[in-house]
Amino acid sequence: MYRSYNCGELNASHINTEVTLSGWVQKSRDKGFIVWVDLRDRYGITQLVFDEQRSSKALIEQAQNLGREFVIQVKGTVIERASKNPNMPTGDIEILVSELTVLNEAKLPPFTIEDKTDGGEDIRMKYRYLDIRRNPVKNSLIFRAKVAQEVRNYLSEEGFIEVETPYLIKSTPEGARDFVVPSRMNEGQFYALPQSPQTFKQLLMVGGMDKYFQIVKCFRDEDLRADRQPEFTQIDCEMAFVEQEDILNAFEGLTRHLLKEVNNVEVEKFPRMRYDDAMRLYGNDKPDIRFGMEFGELNKVAQHKDFGVFNNAELVVGIAVPGGNSYSRKEIDKLINWVKRPQVGALGMVYCRCNDDGTYKSSVDKFYNQDDLAKWAEITGAKAGDLICVLSGETNRVRAQLSALRMEMAERLGLRDPKVFAPLWVIDFPLLELDEETGRYHAMHHPFTSPKPGQIELLDSKPGEVKANAYDLVLNGNEIGGGSIRIHDKATQAIMLKHLGFTEEEAKAQFGFLMDAFEYGAPPHGGIAFGLDRLVAILGGQETIRDFIAFPKNNSGRDVMIDAPAPLDEKQLEELSLKLNIKS
C-alpha cells in the first residue's frame, strides 16, 4: 500500500510507530548534515527528517535532490519533534525516514503552492489542478461538499425524492439564451442544455412524485457580469398540494439547518418584505438588512425650493451614513466622484452634515434653511454626527444608484460582517416586466409562474399591476433562492402565454407537452431553486463563487485550462450538417 496514515493524523500517541506516508513535497530545508522535508496531502502536512547520524549518506543525498511538488512515498518511524510547532496538528512529531521512493518528479510550479501565493488569477486558472492543492481552494471545495451533503440529508429526511432530469432537452424561452447542441442523427435539429429543470419538475408533480429535489447543473448563454458562470449548480425543488406559505416554511427549515450544521449559527427570524417596499427602502430586490441606511424619499420636502436639479427629478432620495460627518471635504468629493463613475452613473450628489450641536450644513444651503434640512434628517433617520447623501433623477435609475452607494458605504464602515447572517423573503413580485425597447411584457420569473389569486383578470386591463405568486430568499444582500407557485391548468397557462406574445401555434410548439400534461390531473404545485454556488460562498464567508467551483470559467466564459470553447474540425462539422458563417 502507498500509505498507512495520511499526513494530517499522526500525533504524539503514534511515537515509535512504523508508518508509510505518501504525498507532495511542500518544501525542504537542507542544512547539509540534516534535511527536513514537509510532506503534504489533502489532510495536512507532516515533517520528515533525514540526518547523518541516523540516515545513510545515499538517503540524505536522495532527500537533497527532491524538488517542490515531487510525489514521494516514505517509510519510517514516528519520533518526538525537538522543536515543536503548536500551530500544526502534527507539530509534536516528525518521521525519521528509513526509505524514500520518488513516485513522480515534478516541474517547478508556475506559482507557489501556499495559502498566500504569488500567482495571479489568470495563471492560477490556467493551472487550476495546481491551485486546488492550495488550502484556500481545497478547503472551499471540501466545504461545498459538506453543504451539498447537508442539503441531501435534510431534504431526504423531509421526504423529498432526488430525481435526475435530462440535460439534452428542447429549447424554450426562459429569459436567457440557450446553449444548443446539434443532433447528428436528426439532421438540422438541435437539443438545448437546460437553463433549469423547470418543466420537468412540474411534470414530476403531474406524475405524483409530490416532493422532488435535485442538485443539478444549469446552463445560460448570457453576457457574464461579475461573478457569474455560464454553467452553475442549483438545488432544485418542487412540492405538490402546497401554497406559498408551505414553500416558505419548508425552505426556511432547510436554511436554518444549513446555518446550524455548517456555521453553528441559529437564525429564528425570516422577515417578509414586499417587492415594492424593497425597491422603495433599499433600491433593489435583494436588500442586505444586516445594517440600516434605509432610503428616505424627499420629494415633498426638497422640491419647489428653487433648486432646479431636485424640482426636475422624478425622485429625490437620500440615506443617512452613520458617523459620516467626520468625513473631510476631500473625502466627500471622492465620494461624489465615486457615484459619478460609469458603473454607478449618477450626475452628482448633494450632501448634508448633521452637526453635533443640532445644526446642519449642506452643499445646497443657498436653497434650504435649517428647518428644511431638519426634515431631511427626520425622513432619512439621520442623527447628530451623520452625513445625509442625496441623489435625484428618474426613479428606477436613481434607486439603483443609491443602492450602490449604500452598499459601498456599508463596506467602508465594516457593516457587512460575513459571520452575521440575515435572511429575508422578498414576496409579491410583479408578474410581468415591460421591455422598454420592444414595448412588450415578459415574465419577471418565467412563463409558468402563477399570478396572485384573483388577479388573472387584470392581465387584459392592467398587466403591469398583476402580482406574481413568487418569492425570493435573500441572504446578506444576495439572492440565494427563488421560486413560485406554478400555473397548473391549461387554460390559465394559455392566457399567460398569450400575454407574453405567443400565438396558439407557438405556444403549442414550445410548451404543448406541458399543457397536454395539465389535462391529465395536474395538482397545485410550486417550488424553489437555490443557487448552490452562491449559497456555499456566503456560508463560507465570501461573495465570490469562483473558488467554490472546481474548474470555473473566466469572465469571457472560457476555460483557459483546457482552452474551451474550441473550433470543430471540418469532419465533425460535416457529420453534424453544420456550415460556419462567421462574421468578421
Side-chain angles (χ1 to χ4, degrees), residues 1 3 21 30 32 34 76 88 104 110 113 121 123 139 183 215 253 290 394 422 456 487 492 574:
M1 59 183 174
R3 57 187 178 186
L21 300 181
D30 182 3
I34 189 169
M88 289 176 60
N104 214 335
I113 313 297
E121 187 173 52
I123 193 73
N139 292 338
S183 172
I215 298 179
R290 285 175 293 179
E394 187 271 326
I456 189 73
I487 297 169
T492 305
E574 186 177 338

Side-chain angles (χ1 to χ4, degrees), residues 431-432 440-443 447-448 456-457 459-461 463 487 490-508 511 515:
L431 182 67
L432 306 174
R440 290 178 55 176
Y441 282 98
H442 61 87
F448 319 108
I456 189 73
E457 296 81 6
L459 281 173
D460 286 321
S461 57
I487 297 169
K490 183 175 183 178
T492 305
Q493 187 65 71
I495 292 172
M496 182 67 174
L497 293 173
K498 175 186 173 184
H499 282 278
L500 292 173
F502 290 87
T503 65
E504 286 188 28
E505 293 75 17
E506 289 171 336
K508 183 172 180 59
F511 305 110
M515 297 172 75

Side-chain angles (χ1 to χ4, degrees), residues 249-479:
N249 289 334
F251 291 97
E252 282 180 17
L254 172 61
T255 309
R256 283 195 183 94
H257 174 81
L258 293 176
L259 287 168
K260 176 62 178 174
E261 295 301 318
V262 176
N263 296 84
N264 198 28
V265 170
E266 295 193 15
V267 175
E268 290 301 321
K269 293 183 178 180
F270 281 68
R272 317 282 171 86
M273 183 180 298
R274 296 174 63 249
Y275 169 87
D276 291 344
D277 292 332
M279 298 303 294
R280 178 176 57 85
L281 294 173
Y282 300 99
N284 68 66
D285 58 3
K286 47 182 183 296
D288 190 336
I289 59 171
R290 285 175 293 179
F291 57 94
M293 286 195 279
E294 292 183 356
F295 290 10
E297 296 189 355
L298 303 173
N299 290 48
K300 291 182 179 179
V301 297
Q303 290 182 326
H304 314 299
K305 298 286 183 178
D306 297 327
F307 185 47
V309 172
F310 285 176
N311 290 343
N312 297 324
E314 190 175 3
L315 177 66
V316 183
V317 62
I319 55 172
V321 178
N325 193 30
S326 63
Y327 280 31
S328 68
R329 175 59 190 270
K330 185 177 181 180
E331 289 173 316
I332 294 176
D333 285 344
K334 286 183 178 179
L335 202 58
I336 294 172
N337 289 332
W338 189 90
V339 300
K340 292 167 71 173
R341 297 181 313 148
Q343 298 94 320
V344 180
L347 296 177
M349 185 186 84
V350 169
Y351 66 89
C352 175
R353 296 181 178 275
C354 302
N355 298 320
D356 292 338
D357 63 3
T359 61
Y360 303 95
K361 178 63 178 174
S362 168
S363 57
V364 287
D365 278 342
K366 177 180 178 181
F367 303 99
Y368 299 94
N369 59 35
Q370 291 292 299
D371 289 340
D372 296 327
L373 299 176
K375 292 176 183 176
W376 292 17
E378 180 182 354
I379 292 172
T380 59
K383 299 178 176 59
D386 292 350
L387 179 73
I388 304 172
C389 299
V390 183
L391 301 180
S392 62
E394 187 271 326
T395 297
N396 292 336
R397 188 171 291 117
V398 78
R399 280 176 172 169
Q401 293 163 355
L402 191 61
S403 176
L405 176 60
R406 175 180 180 267
M407 295 296 280
E408 175 67 16
M409 298 312 300
E411 198 70 47
R412 295 185 184 188
L413 295 169
L415 301 177
R416 305 190 68 208
D417 185 347
K419 295 180 181 178
V420 175
F421 296 94
L424 168 73
W425 286 108
V426 178
I427 59 175
D428 294 353
F429 283 83
L431 182 67
L432 306 174
E433 280 184 307
L434 181 65
D435 187 324
E436 295 181 359
E437 290 185 9
T438 64
R440 290 178 55 176
Y441 282 98
H442 61 87
M444 179 172 266
H445 282 76
H446 52 62
F448 319 108
T449 297
S450 173
K452 283 285 188 181
Q455 294 198 10
I456 189 73
E457 296 81 6
L458 290 175
L459 281 173
D460 286 321
S461 57
K462 299 177 181 178
E465 295 183 14
V466 180
K467 298 298 183 184
N469 213 342
Y471 33 82
D472 281 356
L473 182 55
V474 177
L475 186 61
N476 295 0
N478 291 271
E479 178 196 335

